[in-house]
CSV table of all heavy atoms in Angstrom, one decimal:
chain,number,residue,atom,x,y,z
A,11,LEU,N,-19.5,-98.0,-175.4
A,11,LEU,CA,-19.1,-97.5,-174.1
A,11,LEU,C,-17.9,-98.4,-173.6
A,11,LEU,O,-18.0,-99.6,-173.6
A,11,LEU,CB,-20.2,-97.7,-173.1
A,11,LEU,CG,-21.4,-96.8,-173.2
A,11,LEU,CD1,-22.4,-97.0,-172.1
A,11,LEU,CD2,-21.0,-95.3,-173.2
A,12,VAL,N,-16.9,-97.7,-173.2
A,12,VAL,CA,-15.7,-98.3,-172.7
A,12,VAL,C,-15.7,-98.1,-171.2
A,12,VAL,O,-15.4,-97.0,-170.7
A,12,VAL,CB,-14.4,-97.8,-173.3
A,12,VAL,CG1,-13.2,-98.5,-172.7
A,12,VAL,CG2,-14.4,-98.0,-174.8
A,13,ASP,N,-16.0,-99.1,-170.4
A,13,ASP,CA,-16.1,-99.0,-169.0
A,13,ASP,C,-14.8,-99.2,-168.3
A,13,ASP,O,-14.1,-100.2,-168.4
A,13,ASP,CB,-17.1,-100.2,-168.5
A,13,ASP,CG,-17.5,-100.0,-167.0
A,13,ASP,OD1,-16.8,-99.3,-166.3
A,13,ASP,OD2,-18.4,-100.7,-166.6
A,14,ILE,N,-14.3,-98.1,-167.6
A,14,ILE,CA,-13.0,-98.1,-167.0
A,14,ILE,C,-13.1,-98.5,-165.5
A,14,ILE,O,-12.1,-98.3,-164.7
A,14,ILE,CB,-12.3,-96.8,-167.2
A,14,ILE,CG1,-13.0,-95.6,-166.6
A,14,ILE,CG2,-12.0,-96.6,-168.7
A,14,ILE,CD1,-12.3,-94.3,-166.6
A,15,GLN,N,-14.2,-99.0,-165.0
A,15,GLN,CA,-14.4,-99.3,-163.6
A,15,GLN,C,-13.3,-100.2,-163.0
A,15,GLN,O,-12.9,-100.1,-161.9
A,15,GLN,CB,-15.7,-100.0,-163.4
A,15,GLN,CG,-16.9,-99.1,-163.2
A,15,GLN,CD,-16.9,-98.4,-161.9
A,15,GLN,OE1,-16.5,-98.9,-160.9
A,15,GLN,NE2,-17.4,-97.2,-161.9
A,16,ARG,N,-12.8,-101.1,-163.8
A,16,ARG,CA,-11.8,-102.1,-163.3
A,16,ARG,C,-10.4,-101.6,-163.4
A,16,ARG,O,-9.5,-102.2,-162.9
A,16,ARG,CB,-11.9,-103.4,-164.1
A,16,ARG,CG,-13.2,-104.1,-164.0
A,16,ARG,CD,-13.4,-105.4,-164.7
A,16,ARG,NE,-12.4,-105.7,-165.7
A,16,ARG,CZ,-12.5,-106.8,-166.4
A,16,ARG,NH1,-13.5,-107.6,-166.3
A,16,ARG,NH2,-11.6,-107.0,-167.4
A,17,LEU,N,-10.2,-100.4,-163.9
A,17,LEU,CA,-8.8,-99.9,-164.1
A,17,LEU,C,-8.4,-99.1,-162.8
A,17,LEU,O,-8.5,-97.9,-162.7
A,17,LEU,CB,-8.7,-99.0,-165.3
A,17,LEU,CG,-9.2,-99.7,-166.6
A,17,LEU,CD1,-9.1,-98.7,-167.8
A,17,LEU,CD2,-8.5,-101.0,-166.8
A,18,ARG,N,-7.8,-99.8,-161.9
A,18,ARG,CA,-7.5,-99.3,-160.6
A,18,ARG,C,-6.4,-98.2,-160.7
A,18,ARG,O,-6.2,-97.3,-159.9
A,18,ARG,CB,-7.0,-100.4,-159.6
A,18,ARG,CG,-8.1,-101.4,-159.3
A,18,ARG,CD,-9.3,-100.7,-158.6
A,18,ARG,NE,-10.3,-101.7,-158.4
A,18,ARG,CZ,-11.6,-101.4,-158.7
A,18,ARG,NH1,-12.0,-100.3,-159.1
A,18,ARG,NH2,-12.5,-102.3,-158.4
A,19,GLU,N,-5.5,-98.3,-161.7
A,19,GLU,CA,-4.5,-97.3,-161.9
A,19,GLU,C,-5.0,-95.9,-162.1
A,19,GLU,O,-4.3,-94.9,-162.0
A,19,GLU,CB,-3.5,-97.7,-163.0
A,19,GLU,CG,-4.1,-97.8,-164.4
A,19,GLU,CD,-4.5,-99.2,-164.8
A,19,GLU,OE1,-5.1,-99.9,-164.0
A,19,GLU,OE2,-4.1,-99.6,-165.9
A,20,LEU,N,-6.3,-95.7,-162.4
A,20,LEU,CA,-6.9,-94.4,-162.7
A,20,LEU,C,-7.6,-93.9,-161.4
A,20,LEU,O,-8.2,-92.9,-161.4
A,20,LEU,CB,-7.9,-94.5,-163.8
A,20,LEU,CG,-7.4,-94.9,-165.1
A,20,LEU,CD1,-8.5,-95.0,-166.2
A,20,LEU,CD2,-6.3,-94.0,-165.6
A,21,GLU,N,-7.4,-94.6,-160.3
A,21,GLU,CA,-7.9,-94.1,-159.0
A,21,GLU,C,-6.9,-93.3,-158.1
A,21,GLU,O,-7.3,-92.9,-157.1
A,21,GLU,CB,-8.4,-95.3,-158.2
A,21,GLU,CG,-9.6,-96.0,-158.8
A,21,GLU,CD,-10.0,-97.2,-158.0
A,21,GLU,OE1,-9.4,-97.5,-157.0
A,21,GLU,OE2,-11.0,-97.9,-158.5
A,22,GLY,N,-5.7,-93.2,-158.6
A,22,GLY,CA,-4.7,-92.6,-157.8
A,22,GLY,C,-4.8,-91.1,-157.8
A,22,GLY,O,-5.4,-90.4,-158.5
A,23,GLU,N,-4.0,-90.6,-156.8
A,23,GLU,CA,-3.9,-89.1,-156.6
A,23,GLU,C,-2.5,-88.9,-156.1
A,23,GLU,O,-2.0,-89.6,-155.2
A,23,GLU,CB,-4.9,-88.6,-155.6
A,23,GLU,CG,-4.9,-87.1,-155.4
A,23,GLU,CD,-5.9,-86.7,-154.4
A,23,GLU,OE1,-6.7,-87.5,-153.9
A,23,GLU,OE2,-5.7,-85.5,-154.0
A,24,GLN,N,-1.8,-87.9,-156.7
A,24,GLN,CA,-0.5,-87.5,-156.3
A,24,GLN,C,-0.4,-86.0,-156.2
A,24,GLN,O,-0.9,-85.3,-157.0
A,24,GLN,CB,0.6,-88.0,-157.3
A,24,GLN,CG,0.7,-89.5,-157.4
A,24,GLN,CD,1.7,-89.8,-158.5
A,24,GLN,OE1,1.7,-89.3,-159.6
A,24,GLN,NE2,2.7,-90.7,-158.1
A,25,ALA,N,0.3,-85.6,-155.1
A,25,ALA,CA,0.5,-84.1,-155.0
A,25,ALA,C,2.0,-83.9,-154.8
A,25,ALA,O,2.7,-84.6,-154.1
A,25,ALA,CB,-0.2,-83.6,-153.8
A,26,THR,N,2.5,-82.8,-155.4
A,26,THR,CA,3.9,-82.4,-155.2
A,26,THR,C,3.8,-80.9,-154.8
A,26,THR,O,2.7,-80.4,-154.7
A,26,THR,CB,4.7,-82.5,-156.5
A,26,THR,OG1,4.2,-81.6,-157.5
A,26,THR,CG2,4.7,-84.0,-157.0
A,27,ALA,N,4.9,-80.3,-154.6
A,27,ALA,CA,4.9,-78.9,-154.3
A,27,ALA,C,4.3,-78.0,-155.4
A,27,ALA,O,3.8,-76.9,-155.1
A,27,ALA,CB,6.4,-78.4,-154.0
A,28,SER,N,4.4,-78.5,-156.6
A,28,SER,CA,3.9,-77.6,-157.7
A,28,SER,C,2.8,-78.2,-158.6
A,28,SER,O,2.4,-77.5,-159.5
A,28,SER,CB,5.1,-77.3,-158.7
A,28,SER,OG,5.6,-78.5,-159.2
A,29,SER,N,2.3,-79.4,-158.2
A,29,SER,CA,1.3,-79.9,-159.1
A,29,SER,C,0.4,-81.0,-158.3
A,29,SER,O,0.8,-81.4,-157.2
A,29,SER,CB,1.9,-80.6,-160.3
A,29,SER,OG,2.6,-81.8,-159.9
A,30,ARG,N,-0.7,-81.3,-158.9
A,30,ARG,CA,-1.5,-82.4,-158.3
A,30,ARG,C,-2.0,-83.2,-159.5
A,30,ARG,O,-2.5,-82.6,-160.5
A,30,ARG,CB,-2.7,-81.8,-157.5
A,30,ARG,CG,-3.7,-82.9,-157.2
A,30,ARG,CD,-4.5,-82.7,-156.0
A,30,ARG,NE,-3.8,-82.9,-154.8
A,30,ARG,CZ,-3.9,-82.1,-153.8
A,30,ARG,NH1,-4.8,-81.1,-153.8
A,30,ARG,NH2,-3.2,-82.3,-152.7
A,31,ILE,N,-1.9,-84.5,-159.4
A,31,ILE,CA,-2.5,-85.4,-160.4
A,31,ILE,C,-3.6,-86.1,-159.8
A,31,ILE,O,-3.5,-86.8,-158.7
A,31,ILE,CB,-1.4,-86.4,-160.9
A,31,ILE,CG1,-0.3,-85.6,-161.6
A,31,ILE,CG2,-2.0,-87.4,-161.9
A,31,ILE,CD1,0.9,-86.5,-161.9
A,32,ILE,N,-4.8,-86.0,-160.4
A,32,ILE,CA,-6.0,-86.7,-159.9
A,32,ILE,C,-6.5,-87.7,-161.0
A,32,ILE,O,-6.8,-87.3,-162.1
A,32,ILE,CB,-7.1,-85.7,-159.6
A,32,ILE,CG1,-6.6,-84.7,-158.5
A,32,ILE,CG2,-8.4,-86.4,-159.1
A,32,ILE,CD1,-7.6,-83.5,-158.2
A,33,GLY,N,-6.5,-88.9,-160.6
A,33,GLY,CA,-7.0,-90.0,-161.6
A,33,GLY,C,-8.4,-89.8,-162.0
A,33,GLY,O,-9.2,-89.3,-161.3
A,34,ALA,N,-8.7,-90.2,-163.2
A,34,ALA,CA,-10.0,-90.0,-163.8
A,34,ALA,C,-11.1,-90.7,-163.0
A,34,ALA,O,-12.3,-90.3,-162.9
A,34,ALA,CB,-10.0,-90.6,-165.2
A,35,ARG,N,-10.8,-91.8,-162.2
A,35,ARG,CA,-11.7,-92.6,-161.5
A,35,ARG,C,-11.9,-92.1,-160.0
A,35,ARG,O,-12.6,-92.7,-159.3
A,35,ARG,CB,-11.4,-94.1,-161.5
A,35,ARG,CG,-11.7,-94.7,-162.9
A,35,ARG,CD,-12.0,-96.1,-162.9
A,35,ARG,NE,-12.1,-96.9,-161.6
A,35,ARG,CZ,-13.2,-96.9,-160.9
A,35,ARG,NH1,-14.3,-96.2,-161.2
A,35,ARG,NH2,-13.2,-97.6,-159.8
């Protein structure tokens, strides 16, 4: 098991006019 709880870079969310990126966390 690889625990990604500490990886804050995966908590982000970004929206543009044509897309949305939602982090895994």
Side-chain angles (χ1 to χ4, degrees):
L11 287 185
V12 179
D13 189 342
I14 61 170
Q15 277 287 328
R16 298 183 343 184
L17 305 183
R18 299 293 176 230
E19 62 262 46
L20 299 178
E21 293 178 359
E23 182 184 350
Q24 293 177 312
T26 68
S28 61
S29 69
R30 169 157 286 140
I31 298 170
I32 300 172
R35 287 206 7 80

